[in-house]
PDB file of all heavy atoms in Angstrom:
ATOM      1  N   LEU A   1      28.264 -58.593   9.908  1.00  0.00           N
ATOM      2  CA  LEU A   1      28.556 -58.545  11.364  1.00  0.00           C
ATOM      3  C   LEU A   1      28.979 -59.880  11.891  1.00  0.00           C
ATOM      4  O   LEU A   1      28.352 -60.887  11.610  1.00  0.00           O
ATOM      5  CB  LEU A   1      27.279 -58.049  12.080  1.00  0.00           C
ATOM      6  CG  LEU A   1      27.004 -56.517  12.043  1.00  0.00           C
ATOM      7  CD1 LEU A   1      25.573 -56.276  12.428  1.00  0.00           C
ATOM      8  CD2 LEU A   1      27.973 -55.793  12.920  1.00  0.00           C
ATOM      9  N   GLU A   2      30.023 -59.863  12.679  1.00  0.00           N
ATOM     10  CA  GLU A   2      30.516 -61.043  13.392  1.00  0.00           C
ATOM     11  C   GLU A   2      30.546 -60.742  14.875  1.00  0.00           C
ATOM     12  O   GLU A   2      30.822 -59.605  15.269  1.00  0.00           O
ATOM     13  CB  GLU A   2      31.883 -61.471  12.879  1.00  0.00           C
ATOM     14  CG  GLU A   2      31.968 -61.740  11.384  1.00  0.00           C
ATOM     15  CD  GLU A   2      31.527 -63.151  11.043  1.00  0.00           C
ATOM     16  OE1 GLU A   2      31.097 -63.880  11.930  1.00  0.00           O
ATOM     17  OE2 GLU A   2      31.580 -63.535   9.838  1.00  0.00           O
ATOM     18  N   ASP A   3      30.321 -61.744  15.681  1.00  0.00           N
ATOM     19  CA  ASP A   3      30.399 -61.575  17.147  1.00  0.00           C
ATOM     20  C   ASP A   3      31.849 -61.650  17.604  1.00  0.00           C
ATOM     21  O   ASP A   3      32.253 -62.673  18.220  1.00  0.00           O
ATOM     22  CB  ASP A   3      29.500 -62.591  17.842  1.00  0.00           C
ATOM     23  CG  ASP A   3      29.380 -62.313  19.316  1.00  0.00           C
ATOM     24  OD1 ASP A   3      29.677 -61.161  19.726  1.00  0.00           O
ATOM     25  OD2 ASP A   3      28.888 -63.221  20.059  1.00  0.00           O
ATOM     26  N   ALA A   4      32.610 -60.666  17.305  1.00  0.00           N
ATOM     27  CA  ALA A   4      34.028 -60.658  17.619  1.00  0.00           C
ATOM     28  C   ALA A   4      34.398 -59.263  18.135  1.00  0.00           C
ATOM     29  O   ALA A   4      34.017 -58.249  17.525  1.00  0.00           O
ATOM     30  CB  ALA A   4      34.875 -61.008  16.396  1.00  0.00           C
ATOM     31  N   HIS A   5      35.123 -59.210  19.240  1.00  0.00           N
ATOM     32  CA  HIS A   5      35.468 -57.947  19.864  1.00  0.00           C
ATOM     33  C   HIS A   5      36.985 -57.805  20.089  1.00  0.00           C
ATOM     34  O   HIS A   5      37.431 -56.896  20.775  1.00  0.00           O
ATOM     35  CB  HIS A   5      34.737 -57.755  21.213  1.00  0.00           C
ATOM     36  CG  HIS A   5      33.235 -57.753  21.076  1.00  0.00           C
ATOM     37  ND1 HIS A   5      32.560 -56.589  20.896  1.00  0.00           N
ATOM     38  CD2 HIS A   5      32.321 -58.744  21.074  1.00  0.00           C
ATOM     39  CE1 HIS A   5      31.257 -56.818  20.807  1.00  0.00           C
ATOM     40  NE2 HIS A   5      31.098 -58.138  20.904  1.00  0.00           N
ATOM     41  N   ASP A   6      37.767 -58.684  19.522  1.00  0.00           N
ATOM     42  CA  ASP A   6      39.215 -58.681  19.674  1.00  0.00           C
ATOM     43  C   ASP A   6      39.874 -57.943  18.514  1.00  0.00           C
ATOM     44  O   ASP A   6      39.198 -57.235  17.742  1.00  0.00           O
ATOM     45  CB  ASP A   6      39.751 -60.074  19.812  1.00  0.00           C
ATOM     46  CG  ASP A   6      39.331 -60.976  18.685  1.00  0.00           C
ATOM     47  OD1 ASP A   6      38.856 -60.440  17.642  1.00  0.00           O
ATOM     48  OD2 ASP A   6      39.475 -62.213  18.776  1.00  0.00           O
ATOM     49  N   ASP A   7      41.135 -58.108  18.351  1.00  0.00           N
ATOM     50  CA  ASP A   7      41.888 -57.452  17.262  1.00  0.00           C
ATOM     51  C   ASP A   7      42.041 -58.354  16.034  1.00  0.00           C
ATOM     52  O   ASP A   7      42.854 -58.115  15.159  1.00  0.00           O
ATOM     53  CB  ASP A   7      43.313 -57.030  17.743  1.00  0.00           C
ATOM     54  CG  ASP A   7      43.247 -55.880  18.689  1.00  0.00           C
ATOM     55  OD1 ASP A   7      42.334 -55.036  18.544  1.00  0.00           O
ATOM     56  OD2 ASP A   7      44.110 -55.740  19.570  1.00  0.00           O
ATOM     57  N   SER A   8      41.235 -59.407  15.969  1.00  0.00           N
ATOM     58  CA  SER A   8      41.226 -60.235  14.782  1.00  0.00           C
ATOM     59  C   SER A   8      40.621 -59.497  13.622  1.00  0.00           C
ATOM     60  O   SER A   8      40.064 -58.388  13.754  1.00  0.00           O
ATOM     61  CB  SER A   8      40.450 -61.505  15.007  1.00  0.00           C
ATOM     62  OG  SER A   8      39.077 -61.150  15.229  1.00  0.00           O
ATOM     63  N   LEU A   9      40.729 -60.065  12.390  1.00  0.00           N
ATOM     64  CA  LEU A   9      40.186 -59.390  11.216  1.00  0.00           C
ATOM     65  C   LEU A   9      38.679 -59.187  11.395  1.00  0.00           C
ATOM     66  O   LEU A   9      38.156 -58.107  11.046  1.00  0.00           O
ATOM     67  CB  LEU A   9      40.445 -60.255   9.957  1.00  0.00           C
ATOM     68  CG  LEU A   9      39.931 -59.696   8.678  1.00  0.00           C
ATOM     69  CD1 LEU A   9      40.466 -58.324   8.368  1.00  0.00           C
ATOM     70  CD2 LEU A   9      40.242 -60.655   7.505  1.00  0.00           C
ATOM     71  N   GLU A  10      37.965 -60.165  11.940  1.00  0.00           N
ATOM     72  CA  GLU A  10      36.530 -60.023  12.132  1.00  0.00           C
ATOM     73  C   GLU A  10      36.209 -58.924  13.122  1.00  0.00           C
ATOM     74  O   GLU A  10      35.235 -58.185  12.968  1.00  0.00           O
ATOM     75  CB  GLU A  10      35.953 -61.372  12.609  1.00  0.00           C
ATOM     76  CG  GLU A  10      35.899 -62.476  11.601  1.00  0.00           C
ATOM     77  CD  GLU A  10      37.300 -63.080  11.347  1.00  0.00           C
ATOM     78  OE1 GLU A  10      38.185 -62.804  12.203  1.00  0.00           O
ATOM     79  OE2 GLU A  10      37.468 -63.794  10.361  1.00  0.00           O
ATOM     80  N   GLY A  11      37.029 -58.807  14.217  1.00  0.00           N
ATOM     81  CA  GLY A  11      36.841 -57.785  15.165  1.00  0.00           C
ATOM     82  C   GLY A  11      37.044 -56.395  14.590  1.00  0.00           C
ATOM     83  O   GLY A  11      36.295 -55.446  14.892  1.00  0.00           O
ATOM     84  N   ARG A  12      38.091 -56.257  13.739  1.00  0.00           N
ATOM     85  CA  ARG A  12      38.311 -54.958  13.118  1.00  0.00           C
ATOM     86  C   ARG A  12      37.193 -54.611  12.108  1.00  0.00           C
ATOM     87  O   ARG A  12      36.794 -53.473  11.973  1.00  0.00           O
ATOM     88  CB  ARG A  12      39.656 -54.975  12.378  1.00  0.00           C
ATOM     89  CG  ARG A  12      40.836 -55.304  13.341  1.00  0.00           C
ATOM     90  CD  ARG A  12      42.179 -54.897  12.742  1.00  0.00           C
ATOM     91  NE  ARG A  12      42.516 -55.542  11.489  1.00  0.00           N
ATOM     92  CZ  ARG A  12      43.132 -56.725  11.412  1.00  0.00           C
ATOM     93  NH1 ARG A  12      43.424 -57.419  12.518  1.00  0.00           N
ATOM     94  NH2 ARG A  12      43.456 -57.236  10.251  1.00  0.00           N
ATOM     95  N   MET A  13      36.644 -55.635  11.439  1.00  0.00           N
ATOM     96  CA  MET A  13      35.535 -55.380  10.539  1.00  0.00           C
ATOM     97  C   MET A  13      34.323 -54.904  11.346  1.00  0.00           C
ATOM     98  O   MET A  13      33.622 -54.008  10.893  1.00  0.00           O
ATOM     99  CB  MET A  13      35.225 -56.669   9.748  1.00  0.00           C
ATOM    100  CG  MET A  13      36.273 -57.043   8.715  1.00  0.00           C
ATOM    101  SD  MET A  13      36.171 -58.777   8.129  1.00  0.00           S
ATOM    102  CE  MET A  13      34.521 -58.834   7.511  1.00  0.00           C
ATOM    103  N   ARG A  14      34.103 -55.532  12.479  1.00  0.00           N
ATOM    104  CA  ARG A  14      32.932 -55.132  13.257  1.00  0.00           C
ATOM    105  C   ARG A  14      33.063 -53.662  13.754  1.00  0.00           C
ATOM    106  O   ARG A  14      32.083 -52.872  13.760  1.00  0.00           O
ATOM    107  CB  ARG A  14      32.777 -56.014  14.542  1.00  0.00           C
ATOM    108  CG  ARG A  14      31.672 -55.517  15.472  1.00  0.00           C
ATOM    109  CD  ARG A  14      31.433 -56.472  16.620  1.00  0.00           C
ATOM    110  NE  ARG A  14      30.430 -55.840  17.536  1.00  0.00           N
ATOM    111  CZ  ARG A  14      29.488 -56.530  18.045  1.00  0.00           C
ATOM    112  NH1 ARG A  14      29.304 -57.822  17.854  1.00  0.00           N
ATOM    113  NH2 ARG A  14      28.633 -55.931  18.868  1.00  0.00           N
ATOM    114  N   ARG A  15      34.260 -53.245  14.093  1.00  0.00           N
ATOM    115  CA  ARG A  15      34.483 -51.838  14.501  1.00  0.00           C
ATOM    116  C   ARG A  15      34.225 -50.880  13.339  1.00  0.00           C
ATOM    117  O   ARG A  15      33.692 -49.787  13.551  1.00  0.00           O
ATOM    118  CB  ARG A  15      35.884 -51.628  15.025  1.00  0.00           C
ATOM    119  CG  ARG A  15      36.078 -52.251  16.458  1.00  0.00           C
ATOM    120  CD  ARG A  15      37.338 -51.747  17.079  1.00  0.00           C
ATOM    121  NE  ARG A  15      38.602 -52.245  16.427  1.00  0.00           N
ATOM    122  CZ  ARG A  15      39.172 -53.410  16.753  1.00  0.00           C
ATOM    123  NH1 ARG A  15      38.649 -54.205  17.672  1.00  0.00           N
ATOM    124  NH2 ARG A  15      40.267 -53.788  16.101  1.00  0.00           N
ATOM    125  N   GLN A  16      34.516 -51.295  12.110  1.00  0.00           N
ATOM    126  CA  GLN A  16      34.176 -50.452  10.979  1.00  0.00           C
ATOM    127  C   GLN A  16      32.637 -50.305  10.840  1.00  0.00           C
ATOM    128  O   GLN A  16      32.117 -49.218  10.538  1.00  0.00           O
ATOM    129  CB  GLN A  16      34.727 -51.098   9.721  1.00  0.00           C
ATOM    130  CG  GLN A  16      36.252 -50.980   9.559  1.00  0.00           C
ATOM    131  CD  GLN A  16      36.677 -49.577   9.190  1.00  0.00           C
ATOM    132  OE1 GLN A  16      35.993 -48.879   8.401  1.00  0.00           O
ATOM    133  NE2 GLN A  16      37.786 -49.125   9.722  1.00  0.00           N
ATOM    134  N   THR A  17      31.916 -51.400  11.081  1.00  0.00           N
ATOM    135  CA  THR A  17      30.453 -51.358  10.985  1.00  0.00           C
ATOM    136  C   THR A  17      29.909 -50.479  12.087  1.00  0.00           C
ATOM    137  O   THR A  17      28.955 -49.717  11.871  1.00  0.00           O
ATOM    138  CB  THR A  17      29.860 -52.760  11.060  1.00  0.00           C
ATOM    139  OG1 THR A  17      30.385 -53.566   9.980  1.00  0.00           O
ATOM    140  CG2 THR A  17      28.390 -52.729  11.010  1.00  0.00           C
ATOM    141  N   GLU A  18      30.445 -50.613  13.284  1.00  0.00           N
ATOM    142  CA  GLU A  18      29.982 -49.751  14.403  1.00  0.00           C
ATOM    143  C   GLU A  18      30.147 -48.272  14.097  1.00  0.00           C
ATOM    144  O   GLU A  18      29.327 -47.446  14.429  1.00  0.00           O
ATOM    145  CB  GLU A  18      30.645 -50.175  15.687  1.00  0.00           C
ATOM    146  CG  GLU A  18      30.255 -51.573  16.218  1.00  0.00           C
ATOM    147  CD  GLU A  18      31.071 -52.002  17.355  1.00  0.00           C
ATOM    148  OE1 GLU A  18      32.122 -51.419  17.634  1.00  0.00           O
ATOM    149  OE2 GLU A  18      30.672 -52.979  18.050  1.00  0.00           O
ATOM    150  N   ALA A  19      31.286 -47.979  13.512  1.00  0.00           N
ATOM    151  CA  ALA A  19      31.562 -46.552  13.105  1.00  0.00           C
ATOM    152  C   ALA A  19      30.516 -46.063  12.079  1.00  0.00           C
ATOM    153  O   ALA A  19      30.095 -44.944  12.118  1.00  0.00           O
ATOM    154  CB  ALA A  19      32.929 -46.400  12.553  1.00  0.00           C
ATOM    155  N   ALA A  20      30.188 -46.982  11.134  1.00  0.00           N
ATOM    156  CA  ALA A  20      29.163 -46.572  10.117  1.00  0.00           C
ATOM    157  C   ALA A  20      27.806 -46.324  10.775  1.00  0.00           C
ATOM    158  O   ALA A  20      27.119 -45.365  10.426  1.00  0.00           O
ATOM    159  CB  ALA A  20      29.012 -47.719   9.095  1.00  0.00           C
ATOM    160  N   VAL A  21      27.444 -47.096  11.794  1.00  0.00           N
ATOM    161  CA  VAL A  21      26.152 -46.886  12.490  1.00  0.00           C
ATOM    162  C   VAL A  21      26.175 -45.559  13.211  1.00  0.00           C
ATOM    163  O   VAL A  21      25.194 -44.812  13.211  1.00  0.00           O
ATOM    164  CB  VAL A  21      25.883 -48.063  13.453  1.00  0.00           C
ATOM    165  CG1 VAL A  21      24.726 -47.748  14.364  1.00  0.00           C
ATOM    166  CG2 VAL A  21      25.644 -49.309  12.683  1.00  0.00           C
ATOM    167  N   GLN A  22      27.274 -45.226  13.898  1.00  0.00           N
ATOM    168  CA  GLN A  22      27.375 -43.969  14.659  1.00  0.00           C
ATOM    169  C   GLN A  22      27.286 -42.769  13.757  1.00  0.00           C
ATOM    170  O   GLN A  22      26.783 -41.728  14.179  1.00  0.00           O
ATOM    171  CB  GLN A  22      28.691 -43.966  15.425  1.00  0.00           C
ATOM    172  CG  GLN A  22      28.832 -45.018  16.518  1.00  0.00           C
ATOM    173  CD  GLN A  22      30.179 -45.104  17.188  1.00  0.00           C
ATOM    174  OE1 GLN A  22      31.092 -44.372  16.718  1.00  0.00           O
ATOM    175  NE2 GLN A  22      30.350 -46.057  18.094  1.00  0.00           N
ATOM    176  N   GLN A  23      27.747 -42.899  12.504  1.00  0.00           N
ATOM    177  CA  GLN A  23      27.753 -41.740  11.605  1.00  0.00           C
ATOM    178  C   GLN A  23      26.465 -41.661  10.753  1.00  0.00           C
ATOM    179  O   GLN A  23      26.280 -40.673  10.020  1.00  0.00           O
ATOM    180  CB  GLN A  23      28.945 -41.809  10.708  1.00  0.00           C
ATOM    181  CG  GLN A  23      30.288 -41.742  11.398  1.00  0.00           C
ATOM    182  CD  GLN A  23      31.468 -42.020  10.512  1.00  0.00           C
ATOM    183  OE1 GLN A  23      31.352 -42.078   9.280  1.00  0.00           O
ATOM    184  NE2 GLN A  23      32.646 -42.220  11.078  1.00  0.00           N
ATOM    185  N   ALA A  24      25.591 -42.654  10.891  1.00  0.00           N
ATOM    186  CA  ALA A  24      24.396 -42.714  10.015  1.00  0.00           C
ATOM    187  C   ALA A  24      23.231 -41.929  10.605  1.00  0.00           C
ATOM    188  O   ALA A  24      23.151 -41.713  11.833  1.00  0.00           O
ATOM    189  CB  ALA A  24      24.036 -44.177   9.785  1.00  0.00           C
ATOM    190  N   ASP A  25      22.304 -41.537   9.737  1.00  0.00           N
ATOM    191  CA  ASP A  25      21.032 -40.953  10.125  1.00  0.00           C
ATOM    192  C   ASP A  25      19.912 -41.986  10.198  1.00  0.00           C
ATOM    193  O   ASP A  25      18.886 -41.771  10.823  1.00  0.00           O
ATOM    194  CB  ASP A  25      20.631 -39.851   9.193  1.00  0.00           C
ATOM    195  CG  ASP A  25      21.689 -38.735   9.120  1.00  0.00           C
ATOM    196  OD1 ASP A  25      21.972 -38.123  10.114  1.00  0.00           O
ATOM    197  OD2 ASP A  25      22.223 -38.517   7.962  1.00  0.00           O
ATOM    198  N   LEU A  26      20.113 -43.082   9.503  1.00  0.00           N
ATOM    199  CA  LEU A  26      19.133 -44.170   9.449  1.00  0.00           C
ATOM    200  C   LEU A  26      19.862 -45.460   9.190  1.00  0.00           C
ATOM    201  O   LEU A  26      20.818 -45.497   8.385  1.00  0.00           O
ATOM    202  CB  LEU A  26      18.134 -43.860   8.316  1.00  0.00           C
ATOM    203  CG  LEU A  26      17.057 -44.890   8.039  1.00  0.00           C
ATOM    204  CD1 LEU A  26      16.115 -44.994   9.222  1.00  0.00           C
ATOM    205  CD2 LEU A  26      16.208 -44.475   6.788  1.00  0.00           C
ATOM    206  N   VAL A  27      19.449 -46.547   9.822  1.00  0.00           N
ATOM    207  CA  VAL A  27      20.102 -47.824   9.723  1.00  0.00           C
ATOM    208  C   VAL A  27      19.089 -48.849   9.189  1.00  0.00           C
ATOM    209  O   VAL A  27      17.936 -48.935   9.724  1.00  0.00           O
ATOM    210  CB  VAL A  27      20.672 -48.309  11.044  1.00  0.00           C
ATOM    211  CG1 VAL A  27      21.237 -49.709  10.960  1.00  0.00           C
ATOM    212  CG2 VAL A  27      21.795 -47.363  11.529  1.00  0.00           C
ATOM    213  N   PHE A  28      19.502 -49.550   8.150  1.00  0.00           N
ATOM    214  CA  PHE A  28      18.725 -50.708   7.742  1.00  0.00           C
ATOM    215  C   PHE A  28      19.442 -51.989   8.167  1.00  0.00           C
ATOM    216  O   PHE A  28      20.557 -52.227   7.759  1.00  0.00           O
ATOM    217  CB  PHE A  28      18.636 -50.733   6.137  1.00  0.00           C
ATOM    218  CG  PHE A  28      17.748 -49.657   5.564  1.00  0.00           C
ATOM    219  CD1 PHE A  28      17.958 -49.170   4.308  1.00  0.00           C
ATOM    220  CD2 PHE A  28      16.725 -49.111   6.365  1.00  0.00           C
ATOM    221  CE1 PHE A  28      17.135 -48.215   3.729  1.00  0.00           C
ATOM    222  CE2 PHE A  28      15.919 -48.105   5.820  1.00  0.00           C
ATOM    223  CZ  PHE A  28      16.112 -47.667   4.531  1.00  0.00           C
ATOM    224  N   MET A  29      18.795 -52.770   9.027  1.00  0.00           N
ATOM    225  CA  MET A  29      19.322 -54.042   9.411  1.00  0.00           C
ATOM    226  C   MET A  29      18.720 -55.127   8.492  1.00  0.00           C
ATOM    227  O   MET A  29      17.506 -55.306   8.485  1.00  0.00           O
ATOM    228  CB  MET A  29      19.034 -54.396  10.882  1.00  0.00           C
ATOM    229  CG  MET A  29      19.546 -55.784  11.235  1.00  0.00           C
ATOM    230  SD  MET A  29      19.087 -56.276  12.899  1.00  0.00           S
ATOM    231  CE  MET A  29      19.628 -58.022  12.846  1.00  0.00           C
ATOM    232  N   MET A  30      19.567 -55.740   7.698  1.00  0.00           N
ATOM    233  CA  MET A  30      19.036 -56.687   6.737  1.00  0.00           C
ATOM    234  C   MET A  30      19.141 -58.138   7.230  1.00  0.00           C
ATOM    235  O   MET A  30      20.180 -58.500   7.822  1.00  0.00           O
ATOM    236  CB  MET A  30      19.800 -56.544   5.432  1.00  0.00           C
ATOM    237  CG  MET A  30      19.230 -57.373   4.290  1.00  0.00           C
ATOM    238  SD  MET A  30      20.131 -57.097   2.747  1.00  0.00           S
ATOM    239  CE  MET A  30      19.455 -55.521   2.270  1.00  0.00           C
ATOM    240  N   ILE A  31      18.091 -58.891   7.045  1.00  0.00           N
ATOM    241  CA  ILE A  31      18.127 -60.360   7.317  1.00  0.00           C
ATOM    242  C   ILE A  31      17.796 -61.109   6.045  1.00  0.00           C
ATOM    243  O   ILE A  31      17.183 -60.554   5.139  1.00  0.00           O
ATOM    244  CB  ILE A  31      17.194 -60.725   8.453  1.00  0.00           C
ATOM    245  CG1 ILE A  31      15.710 -60.514   8.038  1.00  0.00           C
ATOM    246  CG2 ILE A  31      17.455 -59.936   9.727  1.00  0.00           C
ATOM    247  CD1 ILE A  31      14.708 -61.126   8.968  1.00  0.00           C
ATOM    248  N   ASP A  32      18.116 -62.401   6.052  1.00  0.00           N
ATOM    249  CA  ASP A  32      17.750 -63.295   5.003  1.00  0.00           C
ATOM    250  C   ASP A  32      16.407 -63.929   5.330  1.00  0.00           C
ATOM    251  O   ASP A  32      16.367 -64.817   6.216  1.00  0.00           O
ATOM    252  CB  ASP A  32      18.825 -64.379   4.777  1.00  0.00           C
ATOM    253  CG  ASP A  32      18.577 -65.263   3.581  1.00  0.00           C
ATOM    254  OD1 ASP A  32      17.387 -65.297   3.142  1.00  0.00           O
ATOM    255  OD2 ASP A  32      19.523 -65.900   3.102  1.00  0.00           O
ATOM    256  N   ALA A  33      15.317 -63.493   4.703  1.00  0.00           N
ATOM    257  CA  ALA A  33      13.999 -64.005   5.043  1.00  0.00           C
ATOM    258  C   ALA A  33      13.865 -65.518   4.732  1.00  0.00           C
ATOM    259  O   ALA A  33      13.108 -66.193   5.446  1.00  0.00           O
ATOM    260  CB  ALA A  33      12.920 -63.236   4.358  1.00  0.00           C
ATOM    261  N   ARG A  34      14.561 -65.996   3.796  1.00  0.00           N
ATOM    262  CA  ARG A  34      14.510 -67.422   3.444  1.00  0.00           C
ATOM    263  C   ARG A  34      15.172 -68.264   4.516  1.00  0.00           C
ATOM    264  O   ARG A  34      14.799 -69.456   4.713  1.00  0.00           O
ATOM    265  CB  ARG A  34      15.029 -67.645   2.033  1.00  0.00           C
ATOM    266  CG  ARG A  34      14.244 -67.002   0.947  1.00  0.00           C
ATOM    267  CD  ARG A  34      14.806 -67.269  -0.392  1.00  0.00           C
ATOM    268  NE  ARG A  34      14.040 -66.636  -1.441  1.00  0.00           N
ATOM    269  CZ  ARG A  34      13.011 -67.217  -2.076  1.00  0.00           C
ATOM    270  NH1 ARG A  34      12.689 -68.482  -1.795  1.00  0.00           N
ATOM    271  NH2 ARG A  34      12.317 -66.560  -2.976  1.00  0.00           N
ATOM    272  N   ALA A  35      16.190 -67.754   5.172  1.00  0.00           N
ATOM    273  CA  ALA A  35      16.849 -68.470   6.225  1.00  0.00           C
ATOM    274  C   ALA A  35      16.157 -68.229   7.577  1.00  0.00           C
ATOM    275  O   ALA A  35      16.475 -68.967   8.562  1.00  0.00           O
ATOM    276  CB  ALA A  35      18.335 -68.052   6.272  1.00  0.00           C
TER     277      ALA A  35
END
């Protein structure tokens, strides 16, 4: 996930992730516990 909402590559990647969330029954948000 990137904080981008334009038509850049990062923005298009974010829209793909948003589509995956909308189609999912369960979402795992992963973080790096060491960071």
Side-chain angles (χ1 to χ4, degrees):
L1 281 166
E2 301 279 1
D3 190 14
H5 298 271
D6 53 13
D7 288 330
S8 64
L9 179 58
E10 290 76 14
R12 302 198 300 274
M13 290 163 59
R14 175 175 175 139
R15 286 195 290 273
Q16 288 284 324
T17 299
E18 290 173 347
V21 170
Q22 293 171 2
Q23 299 170 12
D25 301 300
L26 179 63
V27 173
F28 289 155
M29 178 186 172
M30 184 177 287
I31 67 168
D32 184 342
R34 293 180 180 269

